[in-house]
Amino acid sequence: MEHSFRLVNQLFLVTPLFLKTPQRIAALVFLIMVGALIAGLIERQVRRALAELQQPLKGLMPEGRDSLRPTVTRLFKAFADYSLVQVKEACGRVVESRFARLNPVQAHILELLGLPQPAELCAQPVRVCV
């Protein structure tokens, strides 16, 4: 449980915030806890997949060391420099999307999670301007 509170304070950067109603406070706490739950599930899934493969995640640590039990903080930091550039028309229609190329660590993390490449995941149908 303490691990979840550490996540909320460090990873999600929760700071003092003024909310006017108890309903908004409850909604914010709910969203923060859902985020912490999802982060915990991501960490668990990656660790299980690595244990199943009996291979470490290569190059995740700052010194390029391997890790058998990566933390969700490290997993998220691996994607900190990932970017997407979208060119839009005045009406808001996306003309072009360019995804950064995944490095080997990022690609391995997505593979362990069973997720597709970002370009595949975020492919959207083109809207027509009127």
Side-chain angles (χ1 to χ4, degrees), residues 20-55:
K20 294 181 180 181
T21 65
Q23 291 83 8
R24 288 185 179 187
I25 294 169
L28 178 62
V29 169
F30 175 74
L31 291 175
I32 290 170
M33 296 316 295
V34 167
L37 176 66
I38 291 171
L41 290 172
I42 288 171
E43 181 179 280
R44 179 176 169 235
Q45 180 64 28
V46 169
R47 287 181 175 189
R48 277 187 170 184
L50 288 172
E52 217 174 81
L53 294 172
Q54 296 180 350
Q55 293 178 352

Short mmCIF file of all heavy atoms in Angstrom, two decimals, residues 20-55:
data_model
loop_
_atom_site.label_atom_id
_atom_site.label_comp_id
_atom_site.label_asym_id
_atom_site.label_seq_id
_atom_site.Cartn_x
_atom_site.Cartn_y
_atom_site.Cartn_z
N LYS A 20 -13.83 23.02 -4.97
CA LYS A 20 -14.96 23.69 -4.33
C LYS A 20 -15.98 22.75 -3.69
O LYS A 20 -16.61 23.12 -2.72
CB LYS A 20 -15.67 24.59 -5.35
CG LYS A 20 -14.83 25.74 -5.82
CD LYS A 20 -15.58 26.60 -6.80
CE LYS A 20 -14.70 27.74 -7.26
NZ LYS A 20 -15.37 28.63 -8.19
N THR A 21 -16.15 21.57 -4.23
CA THR A 21 -17.21 20.70 -3.72
C THR A 21 -16.66 19.33 -3.32
O THR A 21 -15.65 18.88 -3.87
CB THR A 21 -18.30 20.49 -4.79
OG1 THR A 21 -17.73 19.79 -5.89
CG2 THR A 21 -18.89 21.82 -5.27
N PRO A 22 -17.34 18.67 -2.40
CA PRO A 22 -16.93 17.32 -2.03
C PRO A 22 -16.98 16.34 -3.21
O PRO A 22 -16.18 15.41 -3.28
CB PRO A 22 -17.95 16.91 -0.96
CG PRO A 22 -18.44 18.20 -0.39
CD PRO A 22 -18.41 19.17 -1.53
N GLN A 23 -17.88 16.56 -4.14
CA GLN A 23 -17.98 15.68 -5.31
C GLN A 23 -16.71 15.78 -6.17
O GLN A 23 -16.22 14.78 -6.68
CB GLN A 23 -19.20 16.03 -6.18
CG GLN A 23 -20.52 15.71 -5.54
CD GLN A 23 -21.00 16.81 -4.58
OE1 GLN A 23 -20.42 17.88 -4.49
NE2 GLN A 23 -22.07 16.52 -3.85
N ARG A 24 -16.17 16.98 -6.30
CA ARG A 24 -14.94 17.16 -7.06
C ARG A 24 -13.75 16.53 -6.35
O ARG A 24 -12.86 15.97 -6.98
CB ARG A 24 -14.67 18.64 -7.33
CG ARG A 24 -15.63 19.22 -8.34
CD ARG A 24 -15.29 20.63 -8.68
NE ARG A 24 -16.22 21.14 -9.66
CZ ARG A 24 -16.09 22.31 -10.25
NH1 ARG A 24 -15.08 23.10 -9.95
NH2 ARG A 24 -16.97 22.70 -11.14
N ILE A 25 -13.74 16.62 -5.04
CA ILE A 25 -12.68 15.99 -4.26
C ILE A 25 -12.74 14.47 -4.44
O ILE A 25 -11.72 13.83 -4.70
CB ILE A 25 -12.80 16.36 -2.76
CG1 ILE A 25 -12.54 17.85 -2.56
CG2 ILE A 25 -11.84 15.52 -1.91
CD1 ILE A 25 -12.89 18.37 -1.19
N ALA A 26 -13.93 13.93 -4.34
CA ALA A 26 -14.11 12.49 -4.52
C ALA A 26 -13.71 12.06 -5.93
O ALA A 26 -13.05 11.02 -6.11
CB ALA A 26 -15.55 12.09 -4.23
N ALA A 27 -14.07 12.86 -6.93
CA ALA A 27 -13.72 12.53 -8.31
C ALA A 27 -12.21 12.55 -8.51
O ALA A 27 -11.65 11.66 -9.16
CB ALA A 27 -14.40 13.50 -9.27
N LEU A 28 -11.53 13.55 -7.94
CA LEU A 28 -10.09 13.63 -8.08
C LEU A 28 -9.40 12.45 -7.40
O LEU A 28 -8.50 11.82 -7.97
CB LEU A 28 -9.56 14.94 -7.50
CG LEU A 28 -8.04 15.12 -7.56
CD1 LEU A 28 -7.55 15.13 -9.00
CD2 LEU A 28 -7.63 16.39 -6.85
N VAL A 29 -9.84 12.11 -6.20
CA VAL A 29 -9.26 10.97 -5.48
C VAL A 29 -9.49 9.69 -6.28
O VAL A 29 -8.59 8.86 -6.41
CB VAL A 29 -9.84 10.86 -4.06
CG1 VAL A 29 -9.45 9.54 -3.41
CG2 VAL A 29 -9.37 12.03 -3.21
N PHE A 30 -10.67 9.54 -6.84
CA PHE A 30 -10.97 8.36 -7.66
C PHE A 30 -10.03 8.27 -8.86
O PHE A 30 -9.47 7.21 -9.13
CB PHE A 30 -12.43 8.40 -8.12
CG PHE A 30 -12.79 7.30 -9.07
CD1 PHE A 30 -12.95 5.99 -8.62
CD2 PHE A 30 -12.93 7.55 -10.42
CE1 PHE A 30 -13.26 4.97 -9.48
CE2 PHE A 30 -13.25 6.53 -11.31
CZ PHE A 30 -13.42 5.23 -10.83
N LEU A 31 -9.84 9.37 -9.57
CA LEU A 31 -8.97 9.36 -10.75
C LEU A 31 -7.52 9.07 -10.38
O LEU A 31 -6.82 8.33 -11.08
CB LEU A 31 -9.06 10.69 -11.50
CG LEU A 31 -10.39 10.94 -12.20
CD1 LEU A 31 -10.41 12.34 -12.81
CD2 LEU A 31 -10.65 9.90 -13.27
N ILE A 32 -7.06 9.62 -9.26
CA ILE A 32 -5.70 9.36 -8.81
C ILE A 32 -5.54 7.89 -8.45
O ILE A 32 -4.54 7.26 -8.81
CB ILE A 32 -5.34 10.27 -7.62
CG1 ILE A 32 -5.20 11.72 -8.10
CG2 ILE A 32 -4.05 9.80 -6.93
CD1 ILE A 32 -5.09 12.73 -6.98
N MET A 33 -6.51 7.32 -7.78
CA MET A 33 -6.42 5.92 -7.39
C MET A 33 -6.51 4.99 -8.61
O MET A 33 -5.84 3.96 -8.66
CB MET A 33 -7.48 5.56 -6.35
CG MET A 33 -7.31 6.32 -5.04
SD MET A 33 -5.62 6.43 -4.40
CE MET A 33 -5.24 4.75 -4.05
N VAL A 34 -7.31 5.35 -9.60
CA VAL A 34 -7.35 4.55 -10.84
C VAL A 34 -5.99 4.61 -11.54
O VAL A 34 -5.48 3.58 -12.00
CB VAL A 34 -8.48 5.05 -11.79
CG1 VAL A 34 -8.34 4.46 -13.18
CG2 VAL A 34 -9.84 4.70 -11.21
N GLY A 35 -5.39 5.78 -11.56
CA GLY A 35 -4.06 5.91 -12.15
C GLY A 35 -3.03 5.06 -11.41
O GLY A 35 -2.19 4.40 -12.03
N ALA A 36 -3.09 5.07 -10.08
CA ALA A 36 -2.16 4.25 -9.28
C ALA A 36 -2.40 2.77 -9.52
O ALA A 36 -1.45 1.99 -9.61
CB ALA A 36 -2.31 4.59 -7.80
N LEU A 37 -3.65 2.38 -9.66
CA LEU A 37 -3.98 0.98 -9.94
C LEU A 37 -3.43 0.54 -11.30
O LEU A 37 -2.81 -0.51 -11.43
CB LEU A 37 -5.49 0.77 -9.88
CG LEU A 37 -5.99 -0.63 -10.25
CD1 LEU A 37 -5.52 -1.64 -9.22
CD2 LEU A 37 -7.51 -0.63 -10.33
N ILE A 38 -3.62 1.37 -12.30
CA ILE A 38 -3.13 1.05 -13.64
C ILE A 38 -1.60 0.98 -13.64
O ILE A 38 -1.01 0.08 -14.23
CB ILE A 38 -3.65 2.07 -14.67
CG1 ILE A 38 -5.16 1.88 -14.86
CG2 ILE A 38 -2.91 1.95 -16.00
CD1 ILE A 38 -5.82 2.96 -15.67
N ALA A 39 -0.96 1.91 -12.95
CA ALA A 39 0.51 1.88 -12.86
C ALA A 39 0.98 0.59 -12.19
O ALA A 39 1.94 -0.05 -12.65
CB ALA A 39 1.01 3.10 -12.10
N GLY A 40 0.31 0.18 -11.12
CA GLY A 40 0.66 -1.06 -10.45
C GLY A 40 0.46 -2.28 -11.34
O GLY A 40 1.27 -3.21 -11.32
N LEU A 41 -0.61 -2.26 -12.13
CA LEU A 41 -0.86 -3.38 -13.04
C LEU A 41 0.18 -3.44 -14.16
O LEU A 41 0.58 -4.53 -14.58
CB LEU A 41 -2.27 -3.27 -13.63
CG LEU A 41 -3.41 -3.53 -12.65
CD1 LEU A 41 -4.76 -3.20 -13.29
CD2 LEU A 41 -3.39 -4.96 -12.16
N ILE A 42 0.62 -2.29 -14.63
CA ILE A 42 1.66 -2.27 -15.66
C ILE A 42 2.95 -2.88 -15.10
O ILE A 42 3.57 -3.72 -15.75
CB ILE A 42 1.91 -0.82 -16.16
CG1 ILE A 42 0.72 -0.37 -17.02
CG2 ILE A 42 3.23 -0.71 -16.93
CD1 ILE A 42 0.74 1.10 -17.40
N GLU A 43 3.32 -2.46 -13.89
CA GLU A 43 4.53 -3.01 -13.27
C GLU A 43 4.41 -4.51 -13.08
O GLU A 43 5.34 -5.27 -13.40
CB GLU A 43 4.75 -2.33 -11.91
CG GLU A 43 5.99 -2.80 -11.18
CD GLU A 43 6.16 -2.07 -9.87
OE1 GLU A 43 6.65 -0.92 -9.90
OE2 GLU A 43 5.78 -2.64 -8.83
N ARG A 44 3.27 -4.95 -12.60
CA ARG A 44 3.04 -6.38 -12.37
C ARG A 44 3.12 -7.19 -13.66
O ARG A 44 3.74 -8.25 -13.72
CB ARG A 44 1.68 -6.57 -11.70
CG ARG A 44 1.31 -8.00 -11.43
CD ARG A 44 -0.02 -8.03 -10.69
NE ARG A 44 -0.54 -9.36 -10.64
CZ ARG A 44 -1.74 -9.71 -11.06
NH1 ARG A 44 -2.56 -8.82 -11.56
NH2 ARG A 44 -2.15 -10.95 -10.98
N GLN A 45 2.50 -6.68 -14.72
CA GLN A 45 2.49 -7.39 -16.00
C GLN A 45 3.90 -7.52 -16.57
O GLN A 45 4.28 -8.57 -17.06
CB GLN A 45 1.57 -6.67 -17.00
CG GLN A 45 1.50 -7.33 -18.35
CD GLN A 45 0.90 -8.73 -18.31
OE1 GLN A 45 0.10 -9.04 -17.44
NE2 GLN A 45 1.32 -9.57 -19.24
N VAL A 46 4.67 -6.43 -16.51
CA VAL A 46 6.04 -6.48 -17.05
C VAL A 46 6.88 -7.46 -16.24
O VAL A 46 7.62 -8.27 -16.81
CB VAL A 46 6.66 -5.07 -17.07
CG1 VAL A 46 8.15 -5.13 -17.36
CG2 VAL A 46 5.98 -4.20 -18.12
N ARG A 47 6.76 -7.41 -14.92
CA ARG A 47 7.54 -8.32 -14.08
C ARG A 47 7.15 -9.78 -14.32
O ARG A 47 8.02 -10.65 -14.38
CB ARG A 47 7.36 -7.97 -12.61
CG ARG A 47 8.08 -6.70 -12.22
CD ARG A 47 7.89 -6.39 -10.76
NE ARG A 47 8.68 -5.23 -10.37
CZ ARG A 47 8.84 -4.83 -9.12
NH1 ARG A 47 8.26 -5.51 -8.13
NH2 ARG A 47 9.56 -3.78 -8.84
N ARG A 48 5.88 -10.04 -14.49
CA ARG A 48 5.43 -11.42 -14.77
C ARG A 48 5.96 -11.91 -16.11
O ARG A 48 6.40 -13.04 -16.25
CB ARG A 48 3.91 -11.51 -14.77
CG ARG A 48 3.32 -11.66 -13.40
CD ARG A 48 1.85 -11.91 -13.52
NE ARG A 48 1.31 -12.29 -12.22
CZ ARG A 48 0.08 -12.66 -12.02
NH1 ARG A 48 -0.77 -12.69 -13.02
NH2 ARG A 48 -0.33 -12.99 -10.81
N ALA A 49 5.89 -11.05 -17.12
CA ALA A 49 6.37 -11.43 -18.45
C ALA A 49 7.87 -11.70 -18.44
O ALA A 49 8.35 -12.65 -19.06
CB ALA A 49 6.03 -10.34 -19.47
N LEU A 50 8.63 -10.87 -17.70
CA LEU A 50 10.07 -11.08 -17.61
C LEU A 50 10.39 -12.38 -16.87
O LEU A 50 11.30 -13.11 -17.25
CB LEU A 50 10.74 -9.90 -16.90
CG LEU A 50 10.80 -8.60 -17.70
CD1 LEU A 50 11.31 -7.47 -16.82
CD2 LEU A 50 11.66 -8.74 -18.93
N ALA A 51 9.63 -12.67 -15.81
CA ALA A 51 9.84 -13.91 -15.07
C ALA A 51 9.52 -15.12 -15.94
O ALA A 51 10.22 -16.14 -15.87
CB ALA A 51 8.98 -13.92 -13.81
N GLU A 52 8.48 -15.00 -16.74
CA GLU A 52 8.10 -16.09 -17.64
C GLU A 52 9.19 -16.36 -18.69
O GLU A 52 9.52 -17.50 -18.98
CB GLU A 52 6.80 -15.72 -18.35
CG GLU A 52 5.85 -16.84 -18.57
CD GLU A 52 4.53 -16.32 -19.13
OE1 GLU A 52 4.48 -16.09 -20.35
OE2 GLU A 52 3.59 -16.16 -18.35
N LEU A 53 9.74 -15.27 -19.23
CA LEU A 53 10.80 -15.39 -20.23
C LEU A 53 12.14 -15.75 -19.60
O LEU A 53 13.05 -16.19 -20.30
CB LEU A 53 10.95 -14.09 -21.01
CG LEU A 53 9.80 -13.66 -21.90
CD1 LEU A 53 10.04 -12.26 -22.44
CD2 LEU A 53 9.63 -14.65 -23.04
N GLN A 54 12.26 -15.52 -18.32
CA GLN A 54 13.51 -15.71 -17.57
C GLN A 54 14.65 -14.92 -18.21
O GLN A 54 15.78 -15.39 -18.31
CB GLN A 54 13.86 -17.19 -17.46
CG GLN A 54 12.85 -17.97 -16.67
CD GLN A 54 13.19 -19.43 -16.56
OE1 GLN A 54 14.09 -19.92 -17.22
NE2 GLN A 54 12.47 -20.14 -15.72
N GLN A 55 14.32 -13.70 -18.64
CA GLN A 55 15.31 -12.80 -19.21
C GLN A 55 15.09 -11.41 -18.61
O GLN A 55 13.95 -10.99 -18.42
CB GLN A 55 15.16 -12.71 -20.72
CG GLN A 55 15.48 -13.97 -21.47
CD GLN A 55 15.26 -13.80 -22.96
OE1 GLN A 55 14.73 -12.79 -23.41
NE2 GLN A 55 15.67 -14.80 -23.72
#
